[in-house]
């Protein structure tokens, strides 16, 4: 594993070898955990890389691992320690977990590492930072643990990169130089075999040698300063971790092969310049460069294919760069020959020079044109891949079940969906633009073959680009259709949540009406007229409650219909419908009780007022039968109403609730009793008046009887007087007749 492969991970400083050693001369491996979540995969990669650096002899002495958990959580620390069992169990001698002062005391009791020693394969101790020196000398600890060891992680990474780069480049260069030198030796033995004069090393040997010397000087300087105890302290760039002998060995081998290579180059320069020019020009004209350009015309069907073609083109450019270097060299040689050549050779040399220049410039132009096409194709395929991923993500969202918790979540999801669709539209427009750029470049692309410009057949590439754009357009259209369907579904779900919310609100309103009915609707009226007004108000109040109940029922019915439309079998009205029905039943029972009390109060006030009003002097007396019935009605209804005021409202579920407070009921009862007492007083008053009337009547009857007797006596006396008068008159008439007769 090379540092360049995991360079971003190494820069995170998930783990490092500071160069310090424990008391057993084992290396100290530090794992500083931070407050952010540590990736176990990245930490494992870092450990694998770091453990590949020390020698086997160094590894045999074992490692002391310091896990700094002061800024991390206990479960992460435990995971890291357990991970060491899988990564380096046999090479770990001791694991020191640096803990916070008071944070883990309770959690540590749940997992004791010392009990797991046999299973882990190494000893684990929990220690505070200030007590770490019990196990490691302060001079071997970095400053973050209170030590004096100086360690610069980025400096170590940079030096490591330089070391690995030098090792890789020097090894590759050595192989190339060996091949070149061996090839030249074979050519010298076989005179008829043409020399391979164009085979050059891919790296500059002087540059590689200079890098190696600088690296070796740096290592020796750091080692010398560290051994003196001053300046830069002991670090992991020592020969145990970077192996100075390896650098020295590579430098020696490289100098040896480079010396041979320089000798080979000097031998090559001795050949005939004119013959070399002719051979190289012919090889250039008929060489693999022109053939590669003539055959390379594809753009790939994916970003990976286009990357492969770009890599292949870079290799081809690398090969052409060698030819261009040869061109520069040949041009210089031709210029030297022109300055010192014969007149008869001038025309031929100038022709060769012009021909070589034309070929190189045309070849460079073709390479640049091909590079532009490949770069545009790579951007096109990259945009197509991004667009495809966006469409896949959008399709995934559209295919996933929608299970939001409320309307706000649905609105957020819908907004996110619209943003994704807008992003897809922008990416599709960018894809069309990049596709048109590629097609325009390919339409202008030509190749050079034996001095002729030959158009390249790009129909297949153009058809591919157009096919990709059409396919993306179709996929985008399908997603748009699905977004429309999902938008409708989400709007229905918003309506569903709104109905459920309004239904719950209706239940709350109905509950508030019930509460208001029980607590505030307690008056029974002071007279029949007021009671009738209260009855009318109560009917309107009930109408409001009925409308609220009907509204809640309609909302719940709409909820059921929306659930069926959405095929949302997991959702239902829940407890809203039972709560609505329960509150409505309670309200109905309470309302009926209120109506009964008002009706009884109305009957009571009507009967009482009938007694109180009609027994006034202006109204005259009641008939005896009606009067007695009215008194009885007032007393019966009044007592029944008083009894009813003491009885609570019994709901269907068996619970009870009283109207108003006990004081309110007591006030109503006092008013009823006062009115009943008033009627009773009126009744007593009327009874006394009736007794006086009876006595007067009896007196009048006796007086009348006496008067009648007196009248009868007077009549008899008159009759007797009349009879006496008649007898006297008859006697007088008889005497007169007698006298008459006598006379």
């Amino acid at each position: 594993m090379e540092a360049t492969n995991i360079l971003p991970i190494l820069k995170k400083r998930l783990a490092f070898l500071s160069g310090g050693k424990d008391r057993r001369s084992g290396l100290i491996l530090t794992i500083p955990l931070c407050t952010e979540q540590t990736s176990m995969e990245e930490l494992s990669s870092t450990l694998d890389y770091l453990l590949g650096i020390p020698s086997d002899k160094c590894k045999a002495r074992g490692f002391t691992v310091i896990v700094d958990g002061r800024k991390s959580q206990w479960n992460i620390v435990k995971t890291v320690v357990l991970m060491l069992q899988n990564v380096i169990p046999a090479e770990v001698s001791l694991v020191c977990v640096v803990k916070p002062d008071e944070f883990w005391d309770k959690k540590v009791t749940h997992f004791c590492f010392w009990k797991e020693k046999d299973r882990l394969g190494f000893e684990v101790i929990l220690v505070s930072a200030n007590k770490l020196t019990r196990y490691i000398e302060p001079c071997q600890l970095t400053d973050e643990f209170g030590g004096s060891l100086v360690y610069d992680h980025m400096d170590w990474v940079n030096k490591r990169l330089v070391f690995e780069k030098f090792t890789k480049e020097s090894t590759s260069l050595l192989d190339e130089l060996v091949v070149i030198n061996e090839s030249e030796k074979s050519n010298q033995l076989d005179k008829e075999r043409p020399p391979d004069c164009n085979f050059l090393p891919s790296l500059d040997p002087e540059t590689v040698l200079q890098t190696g010397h600088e690296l070796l000087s740096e290592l020796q300087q750091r080692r010398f300063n560290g051994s003196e105890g001053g300046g830069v302290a002991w670090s992991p760039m020592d020969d145990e971790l970077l192996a100075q002998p390896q650098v020295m060995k590579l430098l020696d081998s490289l100098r040896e092969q480079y010396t041979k290579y320089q000798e080979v180059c000097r031998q090559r320069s001795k050949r005939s310049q004119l013959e070399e020019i002719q051979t190289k020009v012919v090889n250039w004209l008929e060489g693999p460069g022109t053939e590669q350009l003539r055959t390379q015309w594809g753009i790939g069907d994916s970003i990976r294919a286009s990357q492969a073609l770009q890599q292949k083109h870079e290799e081809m450019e690398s090969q052409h760069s060698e030819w261009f270097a040869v061109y520069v060299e040949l041009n210089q040689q031709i210029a030297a020959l022109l300055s010192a050549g014969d007149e008869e050779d001038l025309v031929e040399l100038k022709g060769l020079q012009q021909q070589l220049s034309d070929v190189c410039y045309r070849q460079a132009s073709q390479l640049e044109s091909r590079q532009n096409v490949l770069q545009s194709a790579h951007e096109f395929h990259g945009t197509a891949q991004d667009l495809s991923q966006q469409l896949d993500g959008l399709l995934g969202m559209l295919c996933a079940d929608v299970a939001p918790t409320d309307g706000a979540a649905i609105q957020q999801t819908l907004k996110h969906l619209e943003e994704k669709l807008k992003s897809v539209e922008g990416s599709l427009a960018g894809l069309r633009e990049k596709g048109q750029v590629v097609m325009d470049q390919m339409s202008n692309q030509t190749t050079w073959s034996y001095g002729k410009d030959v158009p390249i057949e790009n129909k297949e590439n153009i058809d591919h680009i157009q096919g990709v754009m059409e396919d993306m357009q179709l996929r985008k259209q399908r997603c748009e259709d699905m977004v429309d369907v999902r938008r409708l579904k989400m709007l229905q779900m918003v309506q569903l949540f709104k109905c459920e919310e309004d239904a719950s609100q209706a239940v709350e309103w109905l509950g508030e009406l019930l509460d208001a009915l029980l607590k505030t609707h307690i008056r029974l009226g002071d007279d029949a007229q007021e009671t009738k007004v209260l009855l009318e108000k109560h009917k309107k109040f009930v109408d409001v409650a009925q409308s609220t109940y009907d509204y809640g029922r309609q909302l719940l019915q709409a909820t059921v219909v929306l659930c069926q439309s959405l095929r949302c079998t997991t959702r239902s009205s829940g407890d809203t419908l039972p709560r609505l029905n329960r509150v409505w039943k309670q309200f109905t029972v309470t309302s009926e009780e209120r109506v009964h009390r008002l009706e009884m109060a109305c009957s009571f006030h009507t009967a009482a007022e009938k007694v109180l009003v009609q027994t006034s002097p202006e109204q005259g007396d009641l008939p005896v039968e009606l009067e007695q019935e009215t008194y009885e009605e007032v007393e019966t209804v009044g007592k029944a109403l008083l009894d009813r005021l003491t009885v609570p409202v019994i709901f269907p579920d068996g619970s009870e609730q009283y109207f108003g407070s006990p004081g309110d009921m007591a006030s109503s009862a006092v008013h009823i009793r006062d009115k009943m007492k008033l009627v009773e007083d009126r009744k007593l008053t009327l009874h006394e008046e009736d007794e006086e009337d009876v006595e007067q009547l009896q007196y009048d009857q006796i007086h009348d009887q006496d008067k009648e007797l007196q009248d009868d006596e007077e009549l008899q006396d008159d009759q007797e007087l009349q009879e006496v008068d008649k007898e006297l008159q008859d006697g007088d008439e008889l005497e007169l007749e007698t006298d008459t007769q006598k006379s």
Side-chain angles (χ1 to χ4, degrees):
M1 183 184 298
E2 296 181 358
T4 54
N5 296 336
I6 59 170
L7 183 57
I9 300 177
L10 286 178
K11 289 182 178 180
K12 293 182 180 180
R13 198 171 178 261
L14 301 178
F16 60 89
L17 291 169
S18 63
K21 295 184 179 181
D22 56 19
R23 293 171 181 173
R24 294 170 294 190
S25 297
L27 291 176
I28 296 175
L29 174 63
T30 305
I31 303 177
L33 300 178
C34 59
T35 55
E36 300 178 355
Q37 186 69 26
T38 302
S39 173
M40 294 299 110
E41 183 178 356
E42 293 181 352
L43 179 58
S44 178
S45 300
T46 304
L47 292 176
D48 290 340
Y49 175 77
L50 293 176
L51 294 175
I53 295 176
S55 62
D56 294 338
K57 180 180 178 181
C58 185
K59 292 179 182 178
R61 291 195 292 266
F63 289 87
T64 292
V65 182
I66 299 177
V67 180
D68 187 2
R70 290 175 294 179
K71 297 181 181 179
S72 182
Q73 300 176 358
W74 167 248
N75 57 349
I76 297 178
V77 173
K78 187 173 71 173
T79 302
V80 171
V81 173
L82 294 177
M83 186 184 70
L84 294 175
Q85 178 188 9
N86 300 324
V87 179
I88 50 173
E91 297 171 350
V92 175
S93 300
L94 176 65
V95 175
C96 296
V97 178
V98 181
K99 64 175 183 177
D101 292 335
E102 298 177 357
F103 185 68
W104 288 345
D105 291 341
K106 295 181 179 179
K107 295 188 176 180
V108 169
T109 59
H110 296 288
F111 188 88
C112 296
F113 282 116
W114 64 272
K115 294 181 180 180
E116 302 292 329
K117 179 177 180 181
D118 294 335
R119 184 171 66 87
L120 293 174
F122 48 81
E123 181 182 2
V124 180
I125 60 173
L126 296 175
V127 63
S128 301
N130 55 2
K131 297 181 181 180
L132 195 60
T133 54
R134 294 180 180 179
Y135 308 93
I136 303 172
E137 296 294 335
C139 62
Q140 302 298 324
L141 292 173
T142 56
D143 57 350
E144 59 191 317
F145 301 112
S148 59
L149 180 63
V150 178
Y151 172 75
D152 187 348
H153 185 70
M154 291 309 300
D155 179 68
W156 178 84
V157 171
N158 294 332
K159 291 297 188 298
R160 188 67 191 175
L161 290 173
V162 172
F163 169 75
E164 290 184 357
K165 180 182 178 183
F166 167 74
T167 304
K168 183 177 180 180
E169 291 180 352
S170 60
T171 303
S172 175
L173 183 59
L174 274 174
D175 295 337
E176 293 178 0
L177 291 177
V178 169
V179 172
I180 293 173
N181 295 334
E182 293 296 330
S183 175
E184 184 65 21
K185 186 183 294 184
S186 300
N187 292 335
Q188 291 177 359
L189 295 176
D190 188 3
K191 300 296 184 181
E192 297 179 358
R193 181 179 177 181
D196 188 8
C197 299
N198 297 321
F199 188 25
L200 301 175
S202 58
L203 299 172
D204 183 14
E206 292 290 346
T207 303
V208 177
L209 284 170
Q210 183 180 358
T211 303
H213 285 301
E214 291 175 355
L215 178 60
L216 183 60
S217 176
E218 175 71 15
L219 295 178
Q220 291 175 343
Q221 182 68 23
R222 291 171 66 90
R223 178 68 176 86
F224 176 78
N225 292 339
S227 63
E228 289 293 327
V232 181
W234 190 274
S235 72
M237 296 302 294
D238 300 319
D239 51 355
E240 280 190 326
L241 301 181
L242 265 186
Q244 291 185 26
Q246 184 179 357
V247 177
M248 297 174 64
K249 183 178 179 180
L250 286 173
L251 285 173
D252 293 338
S253 301
L254 193 58
R255 278 193 293 266
E256 179 182 358
Q257 292 298 327
Y258 182 55
T259 302
K260 294 180 180 180
Y261 173 74
Q262 289 177 326
E263 182 63 24
V264 168
C265 292
R266 283 193 294 270
Q267 292 295 330
R268 289 178 179 176
S269 64
K270 296 178 181 179
R271 298 171 186 170
S272 174
Q273 294 181 354
L274 185 57
E275 180 181 357
E276 185 177 2
I277 291 174
Q278 292 176 344
T279 303
K280 289 180 178 180
V281 169
V282 171
N283 290 339
W284 176 259
L285 292 174
E286 299 178 356
T290 303
E291 187 65 24
Q292 288 177 354
L293 276 176
R294 188 169 61 246
T295 57
Q296 292 295 321
W297 54 271
I299 61 171
D301 56 357
S302 64
I303 187 171
R304 181 176 298 179
S306 63
Q307 287 176 346
L309 289 173
Q310 278 188 317
Q311 184 176 0
K312 191 172 182 180
H313 182 75
E314 290 174 357
E315 294 174 357
M316 187 169 60
E317 283 185 333
S318 178
Q319 295 176 5
H320 279 74
S321 65
E322 299 177 3
W323 291 98
F324 293 150
V326 174
Y327 155 71
V328 174
E329 181 184 353
L330 291 178
N331 197 30
Q332 293 175 353
Q333 293 179 5
I334 292 175
L337 291 175
L338 287 174
S339 62
D342 298 332
E343 294 183 0
E344 58 184 8
D345 298 331
L346 293 179
V347 176
E348 183 179 359
L349 289 175
K350 288 182 179 180
L352 289 174
Q353 188 180 35
Q354 185 64 41
Q355 183 183 14
L356 193 58
S357 298
D358 293 341
V359 169
C360 289
Y361 282 114
R362 187 181 294 269
Q363 200 81 349
S365 176
Q366 292 295 328
L367 284 171
E368 183 180 4
S369 176
R370 173 65 178 168
Q371 176 64 29
N372 292 337
V373 171
L374 289 177
Q375 182 63 32
S376 299
H378 181 267
E379 293 176 359
F380 172 80
H381 289 305
T383 304
Q385 180 174 324
D386 293 340
L387 177 58
S388 179
Q389 292 175 353
Q390 291 180 10
L391 290 170
D392 291 340
L394 181 58
L395 184 62
M397 286 185 61
L398 294 171
C399 293
D401 293 334
V402 180
T405 56
D406 51 24
I410 295 179
Q411 295 288 355
Q412 185 65 26
T413 303
L414 187 59
K415 181 180 178 182
H416 185 51
L417 201 62
E418 296 289 351
E419 290 175 353
K420 276 189 169 292
L421 184 60
K422 187 176 180 180
S423 177
V424 166
E425 292 175 351
S427 299
L428 183 59
L431 181 67
R432 293 196 187 99
E433 182 180 351
K434 288 181 172 59
Q436 187 62 44
V437 170
V438 176
M439 289 189 291
D440 292 342
Q441 289 178 346
M442 288 191 299
S443 62
N444 298 326
Q445 187 181 14
T446 58
T447 187
W448 181 76
S449 178
Y450 299 105
K452 296 181 180 180
D453 289 333
V454 180
I456 298 177
E457 184 62 38
N458 286 312
K459 184 177 183 304
E460 182 177 348
N461 295 331
I462 294 176
D463 291 342
H464 168 70
I465 292 174
Q466 292 176 345
V468 170
M469 292 191 294
E470 292 174 358
D471 179 63
M472 293 299 173
Q473 177 64 35
L474 291 175
R475 290 179 61 186
K476 182 246 184 185
Q477 185 62 45
R478 287 195 295 268
C479 286
E480 281 184 342
D481 297 338
M482 294 180 69
V483 166
D484 292 338
V485 175
R486 177 55 61 88
R487 185 185 296 109
L488 177 60
K489 183 176 181 179
M490 286 186 172
L491 292 176
Q492 288 180 337
M493 293 192 73
V494 171
Q495 188 177 3
L496 172 62
F497 280 114
K498 182 63 177 175
C499 289
E500 292 177 347
E501 182 180 353
D502 291 347
S504 298
Q505 184 64 48
V507 175
E508 293 180 5
W509 288 342
L510 199 57
E512 292 174 357
L513 292 175
L514 174 61
D515 190 60
L517 179 60
L518 286 169
K519 293 182 179 179
T520 61
H521 292 215
I522 55 178
R523 283 185 50 78
L524 298 178
D526 296 335
D527 51 34
Q529 183 64 30
E530 185 180 358
T531 304
K532 290 179 182 179
V533 172
L534 290 175
L535 271 172
E536 291 297 326
K537 290 183 178 180
H538 180 72
K539 289 180 181 179
K540 295 179 180 179
F541 185 78
V542 172
D543 291 340
V544 173
Q546 181 70 48
S547 300
T548 304
Y549 172 72
D550 294 340
Y551 176 64
R553 292 281 299 184
Q554 292 172 1
L555 289 172
L556 292 175
Q557 290 175 358
T559 301
V560 173
V561 173
L562 288 172
C563 286
Q564 292 175 351
S565 175
L566 294 170
R567 298 179 181 177
C568 187
T569 57
T570 58
R571 296 189 63 85
S572 63
S573 60
D575 63 341
T576 306
L577 180 59
R579 287 195 300 119
L580 180 65
N581 291 331
R582 182 172 64 254
V583 176
W584 175 245
K585 289 179 182 178
Q586 293 176 350
F587 183 86
T588 303
V589 172
T590 307
S591 175
E592 291 175 354
E593 177 64 21
R594 173 68 175 168
V595 170
H596 291 160
R597 293 188 181 190
L598 288 174
E599 289 177 348
M600 291 178 67
C602 185
S603 299
F604 171 76
H605 288 305
T606 301
E609 290 171 1
K610 192 174 184 181
V611 171
L612 296 175
V613 173
Q614 292 187 358
T615 56
S616 63
E618 293 80 8
Q619 297 296 329
D621 295 337
L622 288 171
V624 176
E625 298 80 1
L626 181 60
E627 179 182 348
Q628 186 64 29
E629 292 177 359
T630 304
Y631 283 128
E632 292 177 356
E633 181 181 359
V634 170
E635 183 177 1
T636 303
V637 175
K639 290 182 178 180
L641 184 57
L642 288 174
D643 293 338
R644 193 139 194 162
L645 290 177
T646 61
V647 177
V649 181
I650 301 176
F651 296 141
D653 58 358
S655 59
E656 298 179 354
Q657 185 70 38
Y658 287 89
F659 276 97
S661 63
D664 296 332
M665 292 297 100
S667 177
S668 299
V670 168
H671 178 72
I672 295 171
R673 289 191 185 96
D674 291 343
K675 202 159 192 177
M676 290 177 66
K677 187 175 183 303
L678 185 62
V679 172
E680 184 67 23
D681 293 342
R682 175 67 67 180
K683 179 180 177 182
L684 292 175
T685 303
L686 291 177
H687 183 66
E688 291 176 357
E689 291 177 355
D690 289 344
E691 289 180 352
E692 292 178 357
D693 291 342
V694 170
E695 291 177 357
Q696 183 66 35
L697 181 61
Q698 290 177 354
Y699 174 78
D700 291 340
Q701 288 177 353
I702 294 171
H703 182 270
D704 291 341
Q705 289 177 358
D706 292 339
K707 187 176 181 181
E708 288 178 359
L709 291 174
Q710 186 178 0
D711 290 341
D712 290 341
E713 290 176 355
E714 291 178 355
L715 182 59
Q716 289 178 358
D717 291 340
D718 289 338
Q719 288 177 355
E720 289 177 355
L721 288 174
Q722 288 178 0
E723 288 178 357
V724 170
D725 289 337
K726 188 176 180 181
E727 290 177 354
L728 290 175
Q729 187 177 2
D730 289 341
D732 289 336
E733 288 179 357
L734 183 56
E735 288 178 0
L736 181 60
E737 287 177 1
T738 302
D739 289 336
T740 300
Q741 288 175 358
K742 287 178 175 183
S743 59

